[in-house]
């Protein structure tokens, strides 16, 4: 349509131009023809057009050229086209869909003429993202809630939670506690066996107090201790005033001096008696002649490098030698191989060495062989899927198997839900 209008405008301008030329020719031919005289005519001076300002006949639009014209005082008119302005593009912003309302893709239109340049298309509504509202168990005094559901995106309640009545208390008796002489008691009470709330408070019953009875004093003797006076409770038996022990008076001790025996002559032990009651406290007994007090001079085992001694004996009292010790020659070393220890990834090894199996002296010292270090091998990443968890990259030693960088579990991604839109049936297609 726009092209047709443009073509018509061009034809119209050409017609106007041709007409103006014809008019000018008519004027020139009339002047020459009208001159009927035989005198030579003086040609007139050439005409210079004095044009008016351009005036718009048809304004240019976004898609069509316009026409403008101007006039000379001589009556001649000149017309020319005005180039189409072209569309002024303006973006129609996208409208995000919600759970229940469809959206629109981004589009474009001309802000001058309103022509749609890129049409917006409808984006289906997303649908609700269901999230469970967990049930709340009722207690004895507070009501609970059933399980419900709501949309985690827009918050719309999908399944409303309903109130579950409070359970009420389960009554249990707290038995009375009888008071004793020193400990208070309690009256009977009650509490809830489920939540522990006290329903009937137990009150304190005062302690009964002691019934005092006297424990008489006991006088001490030379050999037997006594007791001070005390008292106790005749009901519970608790000691109120403890009887303290009065030490026995003890004998008036007199010493019977000892007679020391020698290695060959008997003696007497020291004795004692009481100078008050005469009781023999420690009887003197005959001490046989001591005879020699044999003391073993222990054998000294020879070592690999030092000589030893046989076992001997002497009297520890008089010092007489009873059995003489003799010298035992040194043994020399018994060589034993210390096997080499191969190094591992993390533990150093040892070279072969030698020592004496008897005294332990090192004959050839073992030297340290440095640890080999780990041979690192990569444990590849395992990508998680919608339902199966994955693993991060890790590393282990290919020689000893030790984990150098542990692989950690990457949670499964979960499904990304996408709605397959309904297709409306037609008259012939389901």
């Amino acid at each position: 349509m726009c092209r047709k209008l443009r073509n018509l405008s061009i034809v119209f301008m050409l017609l106007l131009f041709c007409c103006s030329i014809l008019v000018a020719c008519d004027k020139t031919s009339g002047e020459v023809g009208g001159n009927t005289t035989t005198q030579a005519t003086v040609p007139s001076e050439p005409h210079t057009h004095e044009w008016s300002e351009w005036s718009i006949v048809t304004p240019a639009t976004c898609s069509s050229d316009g026409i403008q014209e101007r006039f000379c005082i001589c009556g001649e008119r000149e017309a020319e086209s005005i180039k189409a302005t072209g569309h002024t593009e303006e973006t129609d912003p996208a409208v995000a869909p919600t759970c229940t309302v469809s959206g629109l893709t981004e589009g474009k239109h001309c802000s001058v003429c309103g022509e749609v340049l890129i049409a917006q298309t409808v984006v289906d509504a997303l649908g609700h993202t269901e999230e469970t509202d967990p049930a709340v168990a009722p207690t004895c005094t507070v009501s609970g809630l059933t399980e419900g559901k709501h949309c985690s995106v827009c918050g719309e309640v999908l399944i409303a939670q309903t109130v579950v009545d409070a359970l009420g208390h389960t009554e249990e008796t707290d038995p009375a506690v009888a008071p004793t002489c020193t400990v208070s008691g309690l009256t009977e009470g009650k509490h809830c066996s489920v939540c522990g709330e006290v329903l009937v408070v137990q009150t304190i019953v005062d302690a009964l107090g002691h019934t005092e009875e006297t424990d008489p004093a006991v006088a001490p003797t030379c050999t037997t201790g006594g007791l001070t006076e005390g008292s106790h409770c005749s009901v519970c038996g608790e000691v109120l005033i403890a009887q303290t022990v009065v030490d026995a008076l003890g004998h008036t001790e007199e010493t019977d001096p000892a007679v020391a025996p020698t290695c060959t002559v008997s003696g007497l032990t020291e004795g004692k008696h009481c100078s008050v009651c005469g009781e023999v406290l420690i009887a003197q007994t005959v001490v046989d002649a001591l005879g020699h007090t044999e003391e073993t001079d222990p054998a000294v085992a020879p070592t690999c490098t030092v000589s030893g001694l046989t076992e001997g004996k002497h009297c520890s009292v008089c010092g007489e030698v009873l059995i003489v010790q003799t010298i035992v020659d040194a043994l020399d070393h018994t060589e034993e191989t210390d096997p080499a220890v191969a190094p591992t990834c993390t533990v150093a090894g040892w070279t072969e060495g030698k020592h004496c199996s008897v005294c332990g002296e090192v004959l050839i010292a073992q030297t340290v062989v440095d640890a080999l270090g780990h041979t690192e091998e990569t444990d590849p990443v395992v990508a998680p899927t919608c339902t199966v968890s994955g693993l991060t990259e890790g590393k282990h030693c290919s020689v000893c198997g030790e984990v150098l960088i542990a692989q950690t579990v990457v949670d499964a991604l979960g499904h990304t839900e996408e709605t397959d839109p309904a297709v409306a049936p037609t008259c012939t297609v389901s």
Side-chain angles (χ1 to χ4, degrees):
M1 184 68 182
C2 294
R3 185 176 296 175
K4 289 180 179 180
L5 290 173
R6 187 184 305 167
N7 292 336
L8 289 173
S9 300
I10 293 171
V11 171
F12 180 72
M13 290 174 61
L14 291 173
L15 289 173
L16 288 175
F17 180 72
C18 293
C19 291
S20 60
I21 291 174
L22 291 173
V23 169
C25 292
D26 287 343
K27 288 181 178 181
T28 305
S29 60
E31 289 173 359
V32 174
N35 187 2
T36 57
T37 62
T38 58
Q39 292 179 351
T41 58
V42 179
S44 61
E45 294 182 2
H47 177 68
T48 300
H49 293 300
E50 294 181 9
W51 297 108
S52 65
E53 295 294 328
W54 289 103
S55 61
I56 295 173
V57 177
T58 304
T61 66
C62 298
S63 56
S64 300
D65 292 338
I67 298 172
Q68 63 180 356
E69 63 181 5
R70 61 180 179 175
F71 295 91
C72 178
I73 55 174
C74 70
E76 186 171 342
R77 182 177 63 180
E78 186 178 58
E80 67 177 15
S81 64
I82 304 171
K83 189 176 180 180
T85 60
H87 290 300
T88 302
E89 190 177 275
E90 185 170 298
T91 299
D92 302 313
V95 179
T98 66
C99 298
T100 56
V101 179
S102 59
L104 292 171
T105 60
E106 185 181 273
K108 293 183 178 181
H109 70 275
C110 177
S111 63
V112 177
C113 68
E115 183 177 333
V116 174
L117 306 177
I118 299 176
Q120 290 181 287
T121 58
V122 175
V123 179
D124 293 336
L126 302 175
H128 291 301
T129 302
E130 188 175 281
E131 185 170 298
T132 300
D133 303 311
V136 179
T139 66
C140 298
T141 56
V142 180
S143 59
L145 291 171
T146 60
E147 185 183 273
K149 293 183 178 180
H150 71 277
C151 177
S152 63
V153 177
C154 68
E156 183 176 332
V157 175
L158 306 178
I159 299 176
Q161 291 181 286
T162 58
V163 175
V164 180
D165 292 337
L167 303 174
H169 290 301
T170 302
E171 190 175 279
E172 186 172 297
T173 300
D174 303 312
V177 178
T180 65
C181 297
T182 56
V183 179
S184 59
L186 292 170
T187 60
E188 184 182 273
K190 292 182 180 180
H191 71 276
C192 176
S193 62
V194 177
C195 68
E197 184 176 332
V198 175
L199 306 176
V200 178
V201 178
Q202 291 180 287
T203 57
I204 296 173
V205 179
D206 293 336
L208 302 174
H210 292 300
T211 302
E212 190 174 299
E213 186 171 298
T214 301
D215 302 311
V218 178
T221 66
C222 287
T223 55
T224 306
L227 292 171
T228 60
E229 185 182 273
S231 63
H232 68 278
C233 177
S234 61
V235 176
C236 67
E238 183 178 330
V239 175
L240 306 177
I241 299 175
Q243 290 181 287
T244 57
V245 176
V246 179
D247 294 336
L249 301 174
H251 293 297
T252 302
E253 190 177 276
E254 192 168 296
T255 299
D256 303 313
V259 178
T262 67
C263 289
T264 56
V265 179
S266 62
L268 289 171
T269 60
E270 184 182 88
K272 291 184 180 180
H273 67 277
C274 179
S275 64
V276 176
C277 65
E279 182 179 335
V280 175
L281 305 177
I282 300 175
Q284 288 182 293
T285 58
V286 176
V287 179
D288 293 334
L290 301 174
H292 289 302
T293 302
E294 189 177 274
E295 186 170 295
T296 300
D297 301 314
V300 178
T303 67
C304 299
T305 56
V306 179
S307 60
L309 291 171
T310 60
E311 186 181 89
K313 292 184 179 180
H314 70 276
C315 177
S316 63
V317 177
C318 66
E320 184 179 334
V321 175
L322 306 176
I323 299 174
V324 177
Q325 291 179 289
T326 59
I327 295 172
V328 180
D329 293 335
L331 301 175
D332 292 330
H333 290 302
T334 301
E335 188 176 280
E336 185 171 298
T337 300
D338 302 311
V341 177
T344 68
C345 296
T346 57
V347 180
W350 296 95
T351 60
E352 185 182 273
K354 291 184 179 180
H355 70 277
C356 176
S357 62
V358 177
C359 68
E361 183 176 333
V362 175
L363 306 177
I364 299 175
Q366 290 180 287
T367 58
V368 176
V369 179
D370 292 337
L372 302 175
H374 290 300
T375 301
E376 189 176 280
E377 186 169 299
T378 299
D379 302 311
V381 171
V382 178
T385 67
C386 295
T387 57
V388 179
S389 59
L391 292 171
T392 59
E393 185 181 273
K395 293 184 179 180
H396 71 275
C397 178
S398 63
V399 177
C400 67
E402 182 176 333
V403 175
L404 306 178
I405 299 175
Q407 289 182 287
T408 57
V409 176
V410 179
D411 292 338
L413 302 175
H415 292 299
T416 303
E417 186 178 281
E418 185 172 303
T419 301
D420 300 317
V423 179
T426 66
C427 296
T428 58
V429 181
S430 58

